[in-house]
Every structure is written in C-alpha cells, then in structure tokens.
Amino acid sequence: MANIPIYRQDAQHPQAQACAACEIRSSALFGVLDADGLDRIHLHIETLELASDSVVYDRGSSGAAVYTVRTGVVRCERVNSRGERRIMRLAGRGDLIGQEALLQRPYGHEAIVCMPTQLCRIPRALIDGLAEKSGALPRELMLRWQRALDASESWMSEVCTGPARLRVLRMLQRLQDHAQPDGTLWLPRREEMSAMLDMTVETASRLISQLRREGVLERLPVRLARVNASALHRALTSAAAGS
Amino acid sequence: MANIPIYRQDAQHPQAQACAACEIRSSALFGVLDADGLDRIHLHIETLELASDSVVYDRGSSGAAVYTVRTGVVRCERVNSRGERRIMRLAGRGDLIGQEALLQRPYGHEAIVCMPTQLCRIPRALIDGLAEKSGALPRELMLRWQRALDASESWMSEVCTGPARLRVLRMLQRLQDHAQPDGTLWLPRREEMSAMLDMTVETASRLISQLRREGVLERLPVRLARVNASALHRALTSAAAGS
DNA sequence: CGAGCCGTTGAGGGGATTCAAGCTCAGTGG
DNA sequence: CCACTGAGCTTGAATCCCCTCAACGGCTCG
C-alpha cells in the first residue's frame, strides 16, 4: 500500500497523463485524494487554454463546474448598483474559482482571462461524488473558501483604501505574486486598473507614468511589464509612512 | 421515524431548553442536524450575553469555537498595513462568525459587539465530530462560507465605492437589515463609520447631520436611531442617479 | 489614410481631508 | 448646586487630491 503515486502513472487516458504531469497538483484541490479517487477523475476533467479577454463564466449563470488556474491570471468582476465594473479578485496558479457551483448556486461574478491562461474544468458532479467517499475533500474545499474570503478581505482593507498612489503600488505588489517565471507580469489596461482601484483611468495613467519615470516599472510590449522589486518596496514604505 | 422534532423537547439539560426555544434554529447552522446529532450538542453549546464593545475574539488568536449571533450585531474589524482600523463585515441574527476556527486557523479579524448581543458559542470539536457522521453539515458549512464571501464582496463593491454621501446611505441600508423588532437600529459612532466607509469622522458627521435635517434619520438616545425607510430609498436612488 | 481604441498630459473645479474651534452631555468632586 | 473635566459630535475655513472635461499622440486595422 505504500508508495502509491499521487497520480497513477499507468493510466491510458490522455488527461491522466496531463494530470500526472501537472506541476500544481500538490497545491491544487485534488492533492488530498487517494488513488481510488484519482483514477476516476481524469476522465471528467478538461483542460482549457484561453486567450486574453475570454470569458470563463458569466455572473448569474448557473454553472456546473469549478475551475483551477494552472497558468496565467483570471479576474473576477462584478457590476455594482451604479453600473460600474469592479474587479474583486485576481486568481492565479493554483487558485480555485467558481466554487458557488458546488452549492448549486449561480456564479457570483464574471470570470475573465487576463493573459493566456490554462484552466482545469472540474464538473460539479465529480466533486459531489468524491466528497461522499473522501473525508478530506470537504475540508480542503472549506480551506479554499476561507482562502477566497481572506483574499477578498485583505484586498478590501489594502487596495480599496488610502491615497491613489498607494493603491496603485499595492496593486503592483499583488500582480507580482502572479508574475511569470521570467519575471514579467500582467499589467492591466488603465480601465481595468480603474475598476480594481476605484479611480479614474486618467489618475491610473498618471500614476503609472510617474512610477515608470521613477524606475519602479518598466514597460514591455503587450500588456506586460517588469517591476523593480526593491524600488517598489521603497516606494511602498515611503508612501505608507509619508501619509 | 417520521415527525421527530428537530430539537428534542424532552431533554433535561437547561441548554437543551434554550436550543429548543431558539427562534433562529431553522436558519442557524444546526438546522440540518438529525435527532442523534441534536441530542449531543446541547451539552457543549454555551449561550453568551455580551455588552457593547465586548470582544468576542481577537485577530490572530487561535480559536476553538465558532459563534452564531442570536440577537444584536457584531462587527468584524481588521487593522490594515497603515495602522487604520477597517470594519469588514457586520454580523446579525443567524450569522456565523469565526469559521476559521474550524480549519484550526487563527481568527482573521477581531470581532466586537456593537450592541447588547446574544451569541451561541459552538466548540470546534463538536462540529468536527458531527461532520463525520452527518452528510449535510459540511454542505451547510460551505454555504455559510459562501455567504460570508458574498457579503464581503458586495460590501466591497457597494460600500467602498462612490461619493461619501452614497456610501453613508448604503451603510444605513445595511444597518436596517439588522434593525431590532421595534424598528430602531444600531447607529455606529462616527469613528466607526469612518472605519467602515473609509472617510474621516468629520465627513461622516457632516453627512449624518445632513441626513437628519433631511428627515431620513431620527436620532435616539444611545447609539440608536430610527430611519425613514421611504426617505432613505428616495435619497439612495437620487444619489445614485445624480452622480 | 482615416477611424477607433488606448494611453498620456493639461487645466479647472469639486469633494473630501485637514486643522481648528465650539458644542453637548455624562461623570466627578469641590 | 455647579464648575470642571474629557470624550464624542458638530461645524467652519483653507487646502489638496482626485475627478471632469478636453486635447493630443501612438498604434492597429479595415
């Protein structure tokens, strides 16, 4: 019984190969499953490869699946009662989105791809079936919910607060967490920044330009950038203290 | 087997009587339990009666219990990196707080009583034990988590956004949801409003005074108020449109 | 090339903050 | 009884940050 590989290597199905090779499996939802559970899931999980601005799901649609982000970044949006788009959350590698589906509820926000992204689509029925057998899965799910709640609250307390420059700096800090291996990161369009940080596109543009002149940010071709980590850190501490 | 009362009426323990008489049992966490589960829980659940400004739990403390609000209002606070207090959430009748404890994690915020409040303290071990037997409890727990997440996101998109007057109006709208039977509601101190709405106490004061002059709000003795629902509604629509 | 989108920059105005001064009210003690 | 606090609330005046409105430049694409 010992040394059963966490994902069966001998499975024939191509998706089984993909799951076996998946680098995020230890941090992903099914890390807790045993061999029995794992054997069954490959057949139902689908890997999606989506381009920028693709819609993963719409708010209000009654979804039948949750998604794990393998690479790339997905943003979760919502339109508030004044008709403004607000970006509530960024999901990156290893994050789970659309958990409402597990409770047979419509999605609470719209999920949109920020940069070329790979997703694993996990049908609800699959998780329902597994949860009855595996004792560890419900706990793992609750952990994901708690993580989403933490992220939401820390976003609210840090990114929705304070002077505009500080908010932009904190956004950059968070974008760094989703940076690609080569150090480049997704830089939102100005309008998206405005939806994240509750400011106008003009203000976002001014502040980004200023940070570029200060050497905190270096602009790359298409919606990409590179940040100087130490300069960012310095800017953050001085902005937080100076206020 | 049919017609087993959801809470056993014949239990001797005084807490069993309290649970049997609890008016929120259908909406509370244990509404899904069967008779076996219910018989065991009374012995471990404790009813607390706390005065304003009592601390239910501290952020960072590793809690061993979750709490259900029976009456009153509890606020969940957090201190952001600039050292400012931010109120992230209000919990009222039927709401569950401190769910992090179920995952053996420290509380993510500080919970403080807003007005005289009754709480049920539910030890973590109790829920762990029940969850193994009852299939419905994990689902119910996930539902609570999702509800907290929804509340957090809608708070962020509605209360953290827009001109100050609109934010104050939306706060009043939410406070109405926690109103007492007699129609009075908890009116935060100005400093607490400032922590909720990300504005200065002066701005909060100016706007509350203005709303009082407009007849939206009527002030009562101690941190209580009565709102004119229709006037509030009118003010909200005109403020949302006028901007 | 013009159209359109996105980003940038400028000028002006408005709303919120800042700083400051009274105000109300409960508690205290002479 | 009443002055004396001190905390919380209110209000005023000046300042500033951000928004609004506007124009322009770079870029892609038909």
Side-chain angles (χ1 to χ4, degrees):
Chain A
M1 290 297 282
N3 287 326
I4 292 178
I6 212 175
Y7 278 76
R8 291 291 185 84
Q9 302 296 328
D10 54 359
Q12 300 301 317
H13 192 276
Q15 183 63 43
Q17 313 266 340
C19 286
C22 178
E23 329 78 54
I24 64 167
R25 65 169 183 254
S26 63
S27 68
L29 182 60
F30 291 132
V32 298
L33 284 188
D34 58 14
D36 278 351
L38 286 166
D39 267 355
R40 293 192 300 168
I41 68 176
H42 307 307
L43 298 172
H44 304 94
I45 292 185
E46 188 183 347
T47 301
L48 305 176
E49 190 125 16
L50 298 178
S52 295
D53 301 323
S54 308
V55 175
V56 182
Y57 52 76
D58 276 320
R59 172 169 161 86
S61 68
S62 62
V66 298
Y67 299 83
T68 293
V69 180
R70 291 187 61 193
T71 65
V73 181
V74 175
R75 63 180 184 268
C76 297
E77 300 183 359
R78 172 189 279 236
V79 175
N80 69 13
S81 56
R82 292 164 74 213
E84 303 162 337
R85 211 160 53 99
R86 296 294 325 264
I87 295 179
M88 317 298 298
R89 185 186 166 201
L90 294 179
R93 133 176 298 229
D95 288 331
L96 188 73
I97 59 173
Q99 337 191 29
E100 309 88 305
L102 299 180
L103 300 166
Q104 281 146 318
R105 303 178 130 228
Y107 293 119
H109 39 243
E110 190 173 5
I112 301 183
V113 172
C114 296
M115 55 191 297
T117 292
Q118 288 184 346
L119 296 171
C120 287
R121 182 181 187 279
I122 307 169
R124 180 181 72 213
L126 176 59
I127 291 190
D128 286 345
L130 288 171
E132 288 174 10
K133 302 189 66 175
S134 162
L137 193 57
R139 188 193 143 83
E140 187 66 23
L141 282 170
M142 294 185 211
L143 209 57
R144 306 266 153 183
W145 249 294
Q146 180 59 32
R147 209 176 291 170
L149 188 57
D150 272 346
S152 163
E153 294 197 340
S154 101
W155 184 275
M156 173 160 32
S157 80
E158 302 293 343
V159 180
C160 285
T161 280
R165 177 181 162 92
L166 185 59
R167 301 210 298 279
V168 169
L169 288 169
R170 286 211 260 251
M171 176 196 67
L172 290 177
Q173 195 179 28
R174 279 157 194 275
L175 289 172
Q176 261 191 319
D177 298 339
H178 299 299
Q180 292 176 300
D182 62 0
T184 65
L185 50 81
W186 171 63
L187 193 70
R189 296 202 306 263
R190 302 300 168 266
E191 192 220 335
E192 290 161 343
M193 292 185 192
S194 124
M196 274 191 243
L197 306 177
D198 192 31
M199 61 180 65
T200 58
V201 291
E202 294 92 333
T203 300
S205 173
R206 274 182 248 271
L207 290 168
I208 288 291
S209 301
Q210 184 187 332
L211 290 174
R212 202 167 52 232
R213 286 189 287 267
E214 294 174 13
V216 174
L217 196 67
E218 183 191 352
R219 200 179 181 185
L220 299 179
V222 272
R223 296 190 202 174
L224 289 180
R226 189 185 305 277
V227 306
N228 179 335
S230 60
L232 173 58
H233 189 69
R234 261 179 283 122
L236 264 167
T237 49
S238 82
S243 143
Chain B
M1 291 298 281
N3 287 326
I4 291 179
I6 210 174
Y7 278 75
R8 291 290 186 85
Q9 302 296 326
D10 54 358
Q12 300 299 319
H13 194 277
Q15 182 63 44
Q17 313 266 341
C19 287
C22 178
E23 327 78 54
I24 65 168
R25 64 168 186 255
S26 62
S27 69
L29 182 60
F30 291 132
V32 298
L33 285 188
D34 58 14
D36 278 351
L38 286 167
D39 267 354
R40 293 193 298 168
I41 67 176
H42 307 306
L43 299 172
H44 303 95
I45 293 184
E46 187 183 346
T47 302
L48 304 177
E49 190 123 16
L50 297 177
S52 295
D53 300 324
S54 309
V55 175
V56 183
Y57 53 75
D58 275 320
R59 172 169 163 86
S61 68
S62 63
V66 299
Y67 299 84
T68 294
V69 180
R70 291 187 62 194
T71 66
V73 181
V74 175
R75 63 180 185 269
C76 297
E77 301 184 358
R78 170 189 282 236
V79 176
N80 69 13
S81 56
R82 290 164 75 214
E84 303 162 338
R85 214 159 53 97
R86 295 294 326 263
I87 295 178
M88 316 299 298
R89 184 185 168 205
L90 294 179
R93 131 175 298 230
D95 288 332
L96 189 71
I97 58 174
Q99 339 192 26
E100 309 88 305
L102 298 180
L103 300 166
Q104 280 145 317
R105 304 179 128 225
Y107 293 120
H109 41 243
E110 190 173 5
I112 301 183
V113 172
C114 296
M115 56 191 295
T117 292
Q118 288 184 348
L119 297 170
C120 287
R121 182 182 188 279
I122 307 169
R124 181 182 72 214
L126 176 60
I127 292 189
D128 285 346
L130 288 170
E132 290 174 8
K133 302 190 64 174
S134 162
L137 193 56
R139 186 192 146 84
E140 188 67 22
L141 282 170
M142 294 184 211
L143 210 56
R144 306 265 152 182
W145 250 296
Q146 180 59 32
R147 209 176 291 170
L149 188 57
D150 272 347
S152 165
E153 294 196 341
S154 102
W155 185 276
M156 173 160 32
S157 80
E158 301 294 344
V159 180
C160 285
T161 281
R165 177 183 163 90
L166 186 58
R167 300 211 298 279
V168 169
L169 288 169
R170 285 210 261 251
M171 176 196 68
L172 289 177
Q173 196 179 28
R174 280 157 196 273
L175 289 172
Q176 260 191 319
D177 298 340
H178 300 300
Q180 292 177 299
D182 63 0
T184 64
L185 50 80
W186 171 62
L187 193 68
R189 295 204 305 262
R190 302 300 168 268
E191 192 221 335
E192 290 161 344
M193 292 186 192
S194 122
M196 275 191 242
L197 307 175
D198 192 29
M199 60 181 67
T200 58
V201 291
E202 293 93 333
T203 302
S205 173
R206 276 183 245 271
L207 291 168
I208 289 292
S209 301
Q210 183 187 335
L211 290 174
R212 203 167 51 231
R213 285 190 287 269
E214 293 173 12
V216 174
L217 196 66
E218 181 192 352
R219 201 179 182 186
L220 300 179
V222 273
R223 296 191 202 173
L224 289 179
R226 189 186 306 278
V227 307
N228 179 335
S230 60
L232 174 58
H233 189 70
R234 261 179 283 123
L236 264 165
T237 49
S238 83
S243 144

